[in-house]
Amino acid sequence: MTALLSFRNVWVEYGDKIVLERVGLDIDAGSFVSIVGPSGAGKSSFLRLVLGQEAPSRGEVLLDGQPMRAECGPDRGIVFQRYSVLPHLDARRNVLFGLECAGARVTGRLFGAARRRALEEVDAMLDAVGLLSAGGTYPAQMSGGMQQRLAIAQALITRPRILLLDEPFGALDPGIRKDMHALITRLWREYSLTVIMVTHDIGEAFALGTRVLTFDKRRHDPHAPHRYGATATYDIALERKTEVQGSDAE
Ligand SMILES: Nc1ncnc2c1ncn2[C@@H]1O[C@H](COP(=O)(O)OP(=O)(O)OP(=O)(O)O)[C@@H](O)[C@H]1O
Ligand SMILES: [Mg+2]
């Protein structure tokens, strides 16, 4: 079976600073990959490669066995720790924006029947993340957890195959985090997603992932800290037997 994503000797360099080196791994469709590692290890850079926002400086990234083009496609969505949603749009229009954005190359903004159909999809997605009754609410009126639910809806409205999460729950209270764990687990299964999640919380990495990767430097040059990059130092496959506990049961 061809891996969904293949990294073949991938390097990311900025000028003479090496951030990632010799990254070689395959990611299967349907997996939930957690990535942990120290600050500056290139975790967000790795997500940018998958998003197509950046091309490797050496090596190649394959999507379905084909060289990935350095452009963001509707088959990949991303959620950040903060600032994924637009403050001047209410929840419904934030999710709609995700659709308009994806369709922008062809249609620009949606009008008429297409817009009505899109709004139905938007409401279904708001429902899926537990925000249906908050469609007219603006981000500033929402809790951090609600804003992240909205960010997830915005990322999933284009029905991506790959969902990238960059410390998505890092700013949330522990109780809310648990609810979000249950939500993301449910969405991962319901939408048959491949999830790649960066987190600083080791417990979260192991609780949610089917696989945990650590990014770190294998070698250091104290006189030239940027001489060597980080790579995947541990690659741990997990069995996910247990459901994540949370109050997200529906
Ligand atoms: N566009 C860029 N130009 C130059 N250096 C960059 C650029 N983007 C990232 N870097 C550097 O690359 C290194 C890795 O950054 P990255 O954001 O990928 O790390 P990270 O593992 O996500 O860290 P954190 O845990 O703090 O989010 C950092 O030293 C950063 O300063
Ligand atoms: Mg980062």
Side-chain angles (χ1 to χ4, degrees), residues 32-36 169 177-178 180-182 184-186 188-189 197 199 201-212 236 238-245:
F32 193 128
V33 181
S34 299
I35 299 178
V36 295
F169 314 131
R177 240 184 224 228
K178 277 228 145 69
M180 298 302 286
H181 291 171
I184 206 70
T185 297
R186 178 165 61 73
W188 168 56
R189 296 213 169 107
M197 176 185 75
T199 176
D201 180 338
I202 296 266
E204 180 172 276
F206 278 87
L208 296 187
T210 57
R211 181 177 180 186
V212 176
I236 304 155
L238 303 169
E239 287 276 334
R240 268 196 75 167
K241 296 195 194 84
T242 50
E243 284 301 311
V244 174
Q245 296 302 308

Side-chain angles (χ1 to χ4, degrees), residues 28 40 59-60 64 100-101 106 115 117 120 134 145 181 184 187 212 235-236 248:
D28 289 330
E60 57 178 357
D64 296 319
E100 286 176 335
C101 218
V106 198
R115 186 178 173 87
R117 260 198 315 278
E120 281 170 24
H181 291 171
I184 206 70
L187 295 172
V212 176
D235 184 348
I236 304 155
D248 190 60

Side-chain angles (χ1 to χ4, degrees), residues 38-45 47-48 80-81 166-167 198 200:
S39 191
K43 305 180 296 298
S44 296
S45 303
L47 293 189
R48 283 199 296 276
F80 302 100
Q81 182 170 6
D166 200 347
E167 301 181 47
V198 170
H200 275 115

Side-chain angles (χ1 to χ4, degrees), residues 147-219:
Q147 289 190 28
Q148 289 310 76
R149 285 173 188 269
L150 181 56
I152 292 167
Q154 194 184 57
L156 290 184
I157 190 67
T158 60
R159 300 305 170 98
R161 292 189 294 159
I162 305 173
L163 180 64
L164 305 171
L165 304 170
D166 200 347
E167 301 181 47
F169 314 131
L172 303 178
D173 294 336
I176 304 292
R177 240 184 224 228
K178 277 228 145 69
D179 294 345
M180 298 302 286
H181 291 171
L183 173 69
I184 206 70
T185 297
R186 178 165 61 73
L187 295 172
W188 168 56
R189 296 213 169 107
E190 260 177 40
Y191 293 93
S192 305
L193 296 167
T194 304
V195 176
I196 306 177
M197 176 185 75
V198 170
T199 176
H200 275 115
D201 180 338
I202 296 266
E204 180 172 276
F206 278 87
L208 296 187
T210 57
R211 181 177 180 186
V212 176
L213 294 174
T214 66
F215 278 27
D216 208 349
K217 293 189 188 211
R218 282 195 199 279
R219 36 189 196 160

Side-chain angles (χ1 to χ4, degrees), residues 1-249:
M1 197 179 81
T2 316
L4 177 63
L5 284 164
S6 291
F7 292 80
R8 306 260 169 90
N9 188 27
V10 166
W11 295 60
V12 171
E13 292 151 289
Y14 299 110
D16 55 6
K17 176 180 195 171
I18 301 177
V19 174
L20 289 174
E21 61 176 47
R22 302 174 215 217
V23 176
L25 38 97
D26 286 343
I27 294 177
D28 289 330
S31 49
F32 193 128
V33 181
S34 299
I35 299 178
V36 295
S39 191
K43 305 180 296 298
S44 296
S45 303
F46 180 80
L47 293 189
R48 283 199 296 276
L49 289 175
V50 180
L51 196 59
Q53 229 174 39
E54 213 168 293
S57 44
R58 295 186 235 174
E60 57 178 357
V61 183
L62 306 178
L63 179 65
D64 296 319
Q66 303 296 320
M68 189 152 83
R69 285 185 296 171
E71 61 177 29
C72 306
D75 57 348
R76 282 153 282 159
I78 188 159
V79 174
F80 302 100
Q81 182 170 6
R82 288 205 178 104
Y83 313 121
S84 290
V85 298
L86 300 162
H88 62 287
L89 298 179
D90 67 17
R92 195 170 280 121
R93 281 181 295 154
N94 254 292
V95 181
L96 187 63
F97 177 77
L99 263 187
E100 286 176 335
C101 218
R105 266 158 298 172
V106 198
T107 57
R109 298 194 115 218
L110 296 164
F111 295 104
R115 186 178 173 87
R116 274 196 302 280
R117 260 198 315 278
L119 280 168
E120 281 170 24
E121 276 181 60
V122 165
D123 278 353
M125 188 52 72
L126 284 172
D127 197 18
V129 300
L131 285 183
L132 187 54
S133 60
T137 309
Y138 285 81
Q141 302 164 281
M142 295 182 178
S143 66
M146 286 171 80
Q147 289 190 28
Q148 289 310 76
R149 285 173 188 269
L150 181 56
I152 292 167
Q154 194 184 57
L156 290 184
I157 190 67
T158 60
R159 300 305 170 98
R161 292 189 294 159
I162 305 173
L163 180 64
L164 305 171
L165 304 170
D166 200 347
E167 301 181 47
F169 314 131
L172 303 178
D173 294 336
I176 304 292
R177 240 184 224 228
K178 277 228 145 69
D179 294 345
M180 298 302 286
H181 291 171
L183 173 69
I184 206 70
T185 297
R186 178 165 61 73
L187 295 172
W188 168 56
R189 296 213 169 107
E190 260 177 40
Y191 293 93
S192 305
L193 296 167
T194 304
V195 176
I196 306 177
M197 176 185 75
V198 170
T199 176
H200 275 115
D201 180 338
I202 296 266
E204 180 172 276
F206 278 87
L208 296 187
T210 57
R211 181 177 180 186
V212 176
L213 294 174
T214 66
F215 278 27
D216 208 349
K217 293 189 188 211
R218 282 195 199 279
R219 36 189 196 160
H220 287 273
D221 181 344
H223 304 294
H226 301 318
R227 178 147 171 210
Y228 300 117
T231 194
T233 46
Y234 289 95
D235 184 348
I236 304 155
L238 303 169
E239 287 276 334
R240 268 196 75 167
K241 296 195 194 84
T242 50
E243 284 301 311
V244 174
Q245 296 302 308
S247 54
D248 190 60

